[in-house]
Amino acid sequence: MSCSHAHNQPNNPHDAGPPLWLLAELTYRCPLQCPYCSNPLDFAQTERELTTEEWVSVLRQGRKMGAAQLGFSGGEPLVRQDLVELIAEARNLGYYTNLITSGLGLTEAKVDAFAEAGLDHIQVSFQASDPELNNAVAGSRKAFDQKLAMARAVKEAGYPMVLNFVIHRHNIHQMNDIMSLCERLGADYVELATCQYYGWAFENREGLMPSKARLVQAELEVNQYRQRLQESGSAMKLIFVTPDYYEERPKACMNGWGNLFLTVAPDGTALPCHSARLLPIDFPNVRDMDLQGIWYDSPGFNHYRGDSWMPEPCRSCDEKEKDFGGCRCQAYLLTGNADNADPVCNKSSYHDRILAARKAADHATAGLTGLVYRNADNSRLFFRG
Ligand code: FES
């Protein structure tokens, strides 16, 4: 994740600003099984979820520290029975709130209840432009129709219709169909996010990564569609997010470690990003420590602040204040050591691993059946219902 107002990371943690963005991963439970989910592979083994009171306390502490944006995500946050209560509390505290949902488990009555409780924004994710592919990727037979109905319900309740599609080799040929579906639905914002490889997506990378040629074609199609929208006076906005694996310089992941973002996982583990629990670092838990102490004083959050931890080539790189050496989780997944420069960077001695992944993507032919679906059994494709 990146955002436009990057600022330098201080070496002294107490010079850091507050966590402006708080992500509340309310649960790892989810009715869908998308093989690109960024949740940890062992999500089913995590401790019990935070209670309503514990979440309320996290929200209060975050707001007191200066957090302004709050995302409710998961898993599927709708499986939490206390969602309306948490939204109402967040609104009272003055957060700008965003619900990130698959739409499964949503009803018109719930959309109304969320609006009444003060929810600011809802984003509904889709897997493809047609029911067959959508449901096969989601691992659920009823997902597509439900998503269509809920996208409409969100708009009818007065929210902008914000749709998200994760793009990979099995749906990248559908770009025009996806954009046309969104237009027919009356979407306001469409995020076409090419898959990033963390969690389950890393596990399935070979089966998900599109070829460079397909990616270039997809970007062209988005640009042409955007042009057509502009000419026809449509207000629908298309946001195309390109994948790290086809870049030569890394992103300033999370805008810098412990800089703006604070994620609280379902079991209360506090993390500088949604993937960090895979790192061999001891992260604090909101059950043991207050958010202030976690943010400013915990070894986990201070681990990659500033630049004194950086080895070469980052240490002497004149771009280190721009990208902070890239993504720690990607460095760990690809090199086994999170201190290394993100191998996306062509100055990294591990950049050949990115090149090898690109080459493999050029030659990949496997279908959906080779993917490991996100569920407690790491099972291959099956439908739950
Ligand atoms: Fe980039 Fe964790 S996802 S630092």
Side-chain angles (χ1 to χ4, degrees), residues 126-384:
F126 277 74
Q127 280 70 30
S129 63
D130 67 80
E132 289 73 30
L133 184 57
N134 189 93
N135 296 350
V137 173
S140 161
R141 285 205 172 87
K142 58 189 178 198
F144 190 71
D145 290 346
Q146 167 73 7
K147 284 166 184 284
L148 287 182
M150 287 309 111
R152 292 189 181 107
V154 162
K155 183 129 182 172
E156 269 159 31
Y159 288 105
M161 188 193 284
V162 184
L163 306 181
N164 168 279
F165 289 75
V166 173
I167 305 298
H168 44 77
R169 64 181 302 115
H170 304 289
N171 65 4
I172 198 163
H173 61 284
Q174 290 195 332
M175 296 301 284
N176 279 315
D177 292 337
I178 288 172
M179 293 182 284
S180 129
L181 169 70
C182 295
E183 203 181 351
R184 286 198 309 278
L185 282 169
D188 296 284
Y189 297 91
V190 181
E191 190 178 81
L192 302 157
T194 47
C195 194
Q196 300 279 27
Y197 302 103
Y198 302 98
W200 294 79
F202 186 75
E203 189 76 4
N204 284 309
R205 189 185 69 195
E206 270 193 54
L208 291 171
M209 192 166 156
S211 68
K212 172 82 186 228
R214 211 63 205 69
L215 184 73
V216 169
Q217 173 69 21
E219 190 158 19
L220 183 73
E221 287 166 1
V222 173
N223 288 337
Q224 288 171 341
Y225 208 100
R226 200 180 272 132
Q227 183 71 31
R228 274 210 300 280
L229 288 172
Q230 213 173 7
E231 285 162 10
S232 68
S234 165
M236 184 169 92
K237 295 272 177 300
L238 299 172
I239 301 131
F240 185 64
V241 185
T242 54
D244 290 11
Y245 274 57
Y246 285 107
E247 300 288 346
E248 299 302 318
R249 281 287 180 277
K251 62 182 181 244
C253 198
M254 310 314 292
N255 243 47
W257 180 275
N259 204 15
L260 287 176
F261 293 93
L262 196 161
T263 294
V264 180
D267 63 350
T269 306
L271 301 163
C273 69
H274 58 283
S275 294
R277 68 188 309 153
L278 67 85
L279 302 175
I281 292 174
D282 207 13
F283 288 106
N285 192 296
V286 299
R287 286 183 168 129
D288 309 320
M289 214 173 169
D290 66 19
L291 229 46
Q292 176 89 8
I294 284 172
W295 184 253
Y296 290 106
D297 298 318
S298 70
F301 274 77
N302 287 330
H303 207 96
Y304 290 117
R305 279 195 171 121
D307 56 14
S308 51
W309 58 271
M310 284 182 184
E312 293 296 350
C314 300
R315 179 176 285 270
S316 58
C317 180
D318 58 8
E319 294 182 45
K320 70 178 176 185
E321 289 183 356
K322 197 168 108 192
D323 59 32
F324 317 115
C327 174
R328 296 306 88 225
C329 298
Q330 202 146 259
Y332 181 73
L333 284 166
L334 287 164
T335 75
N337 181 354
D339 294 4
N340 284 329
D342 185 339
V344 162
C345 184
N346 64 11
K347 294 183 181 181
S348 158
S349 50
Y350 295 96
H351 188 59
D352 58 339
R353 298 186 181 182
I354 294 287
L355 301 181
R358 288 181 199 168
K359 203 164 169 194
D362 276 343
H363 298 104
T365 51
L368 282 175
T369 47
L371 299 173
V372 182
Y373 276 63
R374 177 221 190 262
N375 55 55
D377 319 311
N378 286 13
S379 58
R380 302 270 156 180
L381 179 62
F382 74 96
F383 287 110
R384 269 182 185 159

